[in-house]
Amino acid sequence: MFITRFFVILFSLIFALLAAGIALAIGIMAPELVSLSADPIEKFAFFAVAFFATSFAGMSAFIPSVILIAVAETFDIRSIFYYAIGGGLIAAIAWFMSDISLQLENTTDLSPITYGLQLVAASGIIGGFFYWLLAGRKAGRWKDPYAAA
């Protein structure tokens, strides 16, 4: 039962990091969506920003997320608020520990992001929600041999 749960946790974590990265990319590109046309270069720019945002979410949040999940699995924490607030806090801490806004301004021709902290925290909350939806609702159930799957 533990091995199955481990793979569910791993898949859910990867999916949650992907969802957070996509949310971050959409938030970064939102001011530019009005002028986005059918130009293939602009579409490529969006996917490049999405890849960068997903990479940022994955690199900066993986280890803290594993710790958050381990605590939830150990103490049977199944609250959506635990995962959403935890995801938002992890993202906010990652924002303060990195210089992502400067990197974005130097690597893209997008307008400067003035609401970066809110955007990153929102993407963390979205990632936390998706993790809860896939795996967090059943945290710690692998310890109970009589729990229904």
Side-chain angles (χ1 to χ4, degrees), residues 87-149:
L89 286 175
I90 288 171
I93 290 169
W95 169 262
F96 285 118
M97 292 179 67
S98 71
D99 202 7
I100 186 86
S101 61
L102 183 62
Q103 292 174 7
L104 282 173
E105 287 182 29
N106 292 339
T107 58
T108 64
D109 59 349
L110 300 173
S111 56
I113 300 169
T114 57
Y115 51 92
L117 177 60
Q118 296 89 339
L119 180 62
V120 171
S123 70
I125 291 169
I126 290 169
F129 171 75
F130 273 99
Y131 181 82
W132 172 83
L133 194 62
L134 295 172
R137 298 178 298 150
K138 297 183 180 184
R141 292 186 110 182
W142 57 273
K143 296 185 287 185
D144 185 7
Y146 303 108

Side-chain angles (χ1 to χ4, degrees), residues 29 32-48 109:
M29 292 293 291
E32 308 293 325
L33 287 179
V34 211
S35 63
L36 193 65
S37 66
D39 185 20
I41 294 180
E42 288 182 358
K43 289 182 181 179
F44 175 76
F46 172 75
F47 287 112
D109 59 349

Side-chain angles (χ1 to χ4, degrees), residues 54-80:
T54 303
S55 300
F56 170 73
M59 288 185 309
S60 60
F62 186 78
I63 299 298
S65 297
V66 168
I67 294 169
L68 189 82
I69 291 166
V71 169
E73 289 290 328
T74 302
F75 296 108
D76 303 337
I77 301 172
R78 298 185 184 113
S79 170
I80 188 172

